[in-house]
Amino acid sequence: FVESGLLIWGVEDDFLRQTQEVAAKMQTPLVHMKPEDIASRYPWLHVPSTVDLGLLQEKNAGHMSPRKLNQAQLQLAQRSGATHLNSEVLEVQHSERIFSVKTSGQEVLAKNVLVAAGCYTSLLPLLPEKLVMTLTGSQALLIEISEEDAQTLAQMPSMIYEGKSEEECVYLLPPIQYP
């Protein structure tokens, strides 16, 4: 986890209002910023004229490597007695108090099964019933920048920009060495 902070900024809509409500309930301090405050604090950032407000969480906010998160979760599960099968699961069946997990190479019996298939969870025959999920489209951009630009952006917080339409909304991370 890299504590870089989080700036949620843009049009003052339901998302920004709900962010403020949740932060208040959780007693999470937010610095309220006017557009000129955002521009002054982050001179490299273009602040459109449509921006109404910025909410900056300076502590306990940032970003983490999804690869390292996945490794840490797997290690914790294994320390707690889980067995990790690095195999494609073809079918999961449940009877009485036991699960039967069929893979391409074996059948495993287990008291509990954790299905971690992400957006494919409902598409695969792994659960007794379909989950109600809404898939939404998003695009990820991997941008290579110079070392000089990386230094300029070194104090950049993670950001959520809330535009006037869904197409104008952006989630942005500070420069991160990949992978």
Side-chain angles (χ1 to χ4, degrees):
F1 174 72
V2 177
E3 188 172 57
S4 62
L6 172 64
L7 175 62
I8 302 173
W9 60 298
V11 177
E12 190 169 8
D13 60 3
D14 287 343
F15 178 70
L16 262 74
R17 284 188 283 279
Q18 290 169 359
T19 298
Q20 292 178 81
E21 290 171 14
V22 170
K25 286 179 186 174
M26 296 181 67
Q27 298 178 346
T28 301
L30 295 176
V31 177
H32 288 67
M33 303 176 79
K34 297 176 184 172
E36 55 270 19
D37 299 331
I38 299 169
S40 174
R41 185 161 181 164
Y42 307 109
W44 40 263
L45 182 63
H46 170 72
V47 180
S49 61
T50 55
V51 170
D52 297 318
L53 175 67
L55 303 170
L56 178 63
Q57 181 180 344
E58 296 177 300
K59 300 287 183 198
N60 300 317
H63 58 90
M64 63 178 64
S65 163
R67 290 175 186 83
K68 290 180 182 177
L69 173 62
N70 187 273
Q71 290 170 349
Q73 290 172 326
L74 183 56
Q75 287 175 355
L76 287 171
Q78 289 172 326
R79 282 188 208 147
S80 297
T83 301
H84 175 243
L85 298 177
N86 192 10
S87 181
E88 178 184 359
V89 175
L90 304 174
E91 183 180 26
V92 177
Q93 292 183 343
H94 184 256
S95 61
E96 300 284 321
R97 292 181 223 156
I98 198 89
F99 287 91
S100 169
V101 179
K102 293 180 184 172
T103 71
S104 53
Q106 62 183 328
E107 181 176 354
V108 178
L109 301 178
K111 291 180 184 176
N112 297 297
V113 174
L114 172 64
V115 176
C119 66
Y120 299 102
T121 300
S122 284
L123 302 176
L124 302 172
L126 304 177
L127 301 177
E129 57 188 66
K130 295 253 185 218
L131 295 178
V132 177
M133 297 173 79
T134 302
L135 299 179
T136 59
S138 64
Q139 296 182 12
L141 228 39
L142 176 63
I143 301 172
E144 187 173 336
I145 62 174
S146 69
E147 184 62 39
E148 182 181 334
D149 287 341
Q151 290 300 319
T152 300
L153 300 172
Q155 300 305 312
M156 175 182 168
S158 297
M159 293 187 183
I160 298 173
Y161 174 73
E162 189 70 9
K164 286 189 172 192
S165 68
E166 190 174 313
E167 292 79 22
E168 294 176 344
C169 297
V170 178
Y171 174 61
L172 188 64
L173 294 175
I176 300 168
Q177 185 74 34
Y178 182 83

